[in-house]
Amino acid sequence: MQIPDTDTIVYVNGRLVRKSEAVISIYDSGFCHGDGAYEGIRLYDGKVFRLEAHIRRLFEALTMLEIDPGVDQAGMAKIVRETFAANELTTDLHMRLQVTRGRKRMTGMNPMLNLGPASIVAFVDHKPPIFDKAGITLITSTLRRASPNVIDAKIHHTNQLNQILANIEANRQGADEAIMLDDRGFVAETNSTTMFCVKDGVLMTPHPTYIVVGITRGILLDMARTEGWGAKEADLSVYDFVTADEVFICGTVGELVPVKAIDGKPLKGPIPGPMTTALMEKYRALTRAEGTVV
């Protein structure tokens, strides 16, 4: 999909500026070391979807990284609302709200080199859902998601090299995304999204051990259980996805997207399948009905 490059208004350390004019120090910890946390947040019809949940998850990550953002959760939510409100567009806006450890007096990993305070940046892009809702293709990456004793994936941190390298593999093979396995060989997620499959009427997704615990993921599990459908977390291999009745990915920026092939193997039709279609419609309705007005 061709994504428009609109010169949006962004937030950089207390200032609202044009995207084309935004700057930050080359000594910022995020630029030097990927030392920070972020959230992807979406605006629908002038309303921020699940703002409180995103802010809460951001502050959980900052707690683990021992970064003091210098504002409380209410102050961070105000930054989000005011930045979105400064833009003329009121829908299909995607924000990457990022907090880093701030500027360093010289290069080096030690946080004692930081001068403080933390840097807060809210990137805003005009970004309609990025995947083809008619179906995408996946390949299985040769790379693994790190286990919690390496770096806990629940920390929504800014160092994404692991996923970027997997994305390069997908690009090289002409696929849309790469499936990443955990160190036991079970599916964790794709390089940027959560994975779901449906088998015999049961909605299944990997355990949240090697992944960021997705907000969209939780919404879909709740929807399925409310409808009385079977829904569970499980250890799932690539086999379980290739042989499933339906497969889809999900996330804030892409919403729900059906998968039509994995590792060159076409999946069962129709695509999207009936449960995927129902969840796509319910999720879309929810994003239009809920939200924090900017």
Side-chain angles (χ1 to χ4, degrees):
M1 164 175 263
Q2 186 67 34
I3 298 174
D5 185 15
T6 304
D7 197 14
T8 49
I9 302 294
V10 302
Y11 176 95
V12 183
N13 289 331
R15 296 178 61 235
L16 291 170
V17 298
R18 286 286 174 187
K19 171 179 171 179
S20 58
E21 300 170 354
V23 294
I24 198 163
S25 171
I26 62 170
Y27 282 88
D28 187 84
S29 295
F31 180 76
C32 291
H33 303 292
D35 182 9
Y38 79 99
E39 282 294 313
I41 304 173
R42 201 152 180 81
L43 188 72
Y44 293 94
D45 300 325
K47 295 181 293 185
V48 187
F49 188 61
R50 296 292 167 106
L51 176 59
E52 290 182 1
H54 282 291
I55 297 297
R56 182 172 60 250
R57 189 171 65 177
L58 174 65
F59 273 72
E60 289 173 354
L62 294 174
T63 296
M64 293 301 296
L65 296 175
E66 299 186 36
I67 295 175
D68 178 4
V71 296
D72 60 13
Q73 293 193 34
M76 193 69 75
K78 183 180 179 183
I79 289 171
V80 172
R81 294 195 309 272
E82 291 182 348
T83 305
F84 272 134
N87 284 275
E88 293 180 2
L89 294 172
T90 59
T91 199
D92 281 338
L93 285 183
H94 182 82
M95 175 184 291
R96 180 185 174 102
L97 177 63
Q98 183 164 301
V99 181
T100 76
R101 204 176 299 275
R103 190 163 64 89
K104 304 177 100 51
R105 60 185 177 86
M106 64 177 66
T107 58
M109 290 185 291
N110 194 334
M112 293 183 70
L113 293 172
N114 279 76
L115 298 169
S119 291
I120 301 175
V121 177
F123 307 75
V124 177
D125 292 304
H126 178 212
K127 188 185 293 187
I130 60 175
F131 296 111
D132 186 351
K133 294 296 182 77
I136 62 168
T137 61
L138 307 178
I139 57 97
T140 304
S141 173
T142 61
L143 299 167
R144 298 290 186 263
R145 289 295 276 130
S147 64
N149 65 352
V150 177
I151 184 167
D152 197 328
K154 291 185 180 67
I155 304 172
H156 208 186
H157 57 81
T158 57
N159 189 330
Q160 296 178 292
L161 188 58
N162 183 221
Q163 298 100 301
I164 290 169
L165 291 172
N167 204 165
I168 290 170
E169 288 186 319
N171 290 344
R172 188 179 298 122
Q173 297 185 47
D176 295 290
E177 288 270 289
I179 298 172
M180 302 191 73
L181 310 181
D182 63 29
D183 58 5
R184 304 166 301 154
F186 292 109
V187 171
E189 59 184 355
T190 75
N191 54 274
S192 72
T193 63
T194 298
M195 290 192 69
F196 278 88
C197 66
V198 179
K199 189 70 174 284
D200 298 327
V202 178
L203 180 69
M204 297 184 288
T205 193
H207 286 294
T209 307
Y210 294 78
I211 66 172
V212 174
V213 184
I215 292 170
T216 309
R217 174 186 184 276
I219 290 171
L220 298 181
L221 288 171
D222 288 343
M223 281 181 175
R225 289 161 180 156
T226 299
E227 291 295 322
W229 304 333
K232 67 178 184 179
E233 301 168 331
D235 284 331
L236 302 168
S237 67
V238 174
Y239 172 95
D240 294 307
F241 285 91
V242 171
T243 61
D245 300 321
E246 304 176 44
V247 178
F248 65 87
I249 62 169
C250 73
T252 298
V253 68
E255 303 175 333
L256 280 70
V257 186
V259 175
K260 60 184 180 183
I262 296 175
D263 293 328
K265 301 177 181 68
L267 303 188
K268 298 177 182 178
I271 295 170
M275 189 179 293
T276 304
T277 299
L279 288 170
M280 290 171 74
E281 292 172 352
K282 289 179 180 297
Y283 184 81
R284 180 174 178 80
L286 185 66
T287 62
R288 268 58 186 179
E290 290 189 6
T292 303
V293 177
V294 299

